[in-house]
Amino acid sequence: DIQMTQSPSTLPASVGDGVTITCRASQSISSWLAWYQQKPGKAPKLLISKASTLESGVPSRFSGSGSGTEFTLTISSLHPDDFATYYCQQYKTYPYTFGQGTKLEIK
Amino acid sequence: EVQLLESGGGLVQPGGSLRLSCAAAGFSFSTYGMSWVRQAPGKGLEWVSAISGSGGTTYYADSVKGRFTISRDNSKNTLYLQMNSLIADDTAVYYCAKDPAGLRLPLDYWGQGTLVTVSS
C-alpha cells in the first residue's frame, strides 16, 4: 500500500497568514493527489484534484503543487472560514490512502 | 445537484452485522464507481471499499477484507455495505462517496455520514 505522510499535524495560524501543508507519498503517485477540507461534524469537501487543479467554487487563495512523492497545499491569506482539518489522499491505485490530517487552528 | 444519503448505522454488539445504504441522486449512478470511507471518533479518514459502476469489480481495505461486502443496485440508485463480524475498531462514521476513478478523478461528492458503534 502507498503510505501518505502529512506535516505538520497541527498548524497554529492567524487570519491573514499564509500557510503551507506538506504531503509525502511512500512511492511515486505522479499527480494523482487530492486535498480535502473537513470541518467538525461535516463530510470532507474536495478542494484540489490532480495535485493542482482547483475544484469549482474553491477560492483562489488555495493552491496545490507537486508531483511524484512531494506535494504541498498553500493557503495564501487565511480567512476565518479556513480553520479546519486538511487531508491529502492518493488516488493512483486502490487501496486509496489518506494522510493523517493537518488541523489548522487559530493562534 | 448530487446528493448522497447514508442510512443504516446504529449500535451493534461485537460479532454482529449491519447493512449500510447510500441513496444517490443528481447524477447517472450506474456510470460511476462508488466508495465507502470511514472515520473513527477523533481520528482521520480511512478508505474502506470501492465498487465499479457496473458492480462487477470491487476493492477492499485489508482491515475489512472477508468481513465487509460492497454492492450496488443500479435500478434503485443505491449503494450498500454489508458489515459482518463487527469489532470495536469498526466504530466510525461511514461516508459514501462518488468515485469517478475511471476518469482519473478523486472522491468528488460525499454523503453526510452514518455512525456505526460496535459495543456490548
Side-chain angles (χ1 to χ4, degrees), chain A residues 34 36 46 48-49 89 91, chain B residues 98-100 104-108:
Chain A
Y36 300 87
L46 178 63
I48 289 172
S49 62
Q89 179 230 336
Y91 59 100
Chain B
K98 178 170 163 280
D99 183 358
R104 279 301 203 180
L105 292 170
L107 307 173
D108 53 0

Side-chain angles (χ1 to χ4, degrees), chain B residues 30-99:
Chain B
S30 62
T31 299
Y32 295 96
M34 297 292 293
S35 272
W36 287 98
V37 177
R38 69 184 179 183
Q39 186 169 36
K43 303 297 184 182
L45 300 169
E46 179 188 17
W47 175 85
V48 171
S49 183
I51 188 168
S52 62
S54 67
T57 304
T58 58
Y59 305 89
Y60 296 94
D62 285 346
S63 58
V64 306
K65 201 172 294 182
R67 300 188 299 122
F68 290 11
T69 302
I70 192 171
S71 63
R72 63 192 297 159
D73 185 336
N74 287 343
S75 69
K76 296 182 178 178
N77 286 356
T78 302
L79 173 72
Y80 302 100
L81 185 68
Q82 177 67 42
M83 304 186 296
N84 298 332
S85 303
L86 284 161
I87 61 177
D89 283 351
D90 295 321
T91 294
V93 173
Y94 284 74
Y95 297 100
C96 66
K98 178 170 163 280
D99 183 358

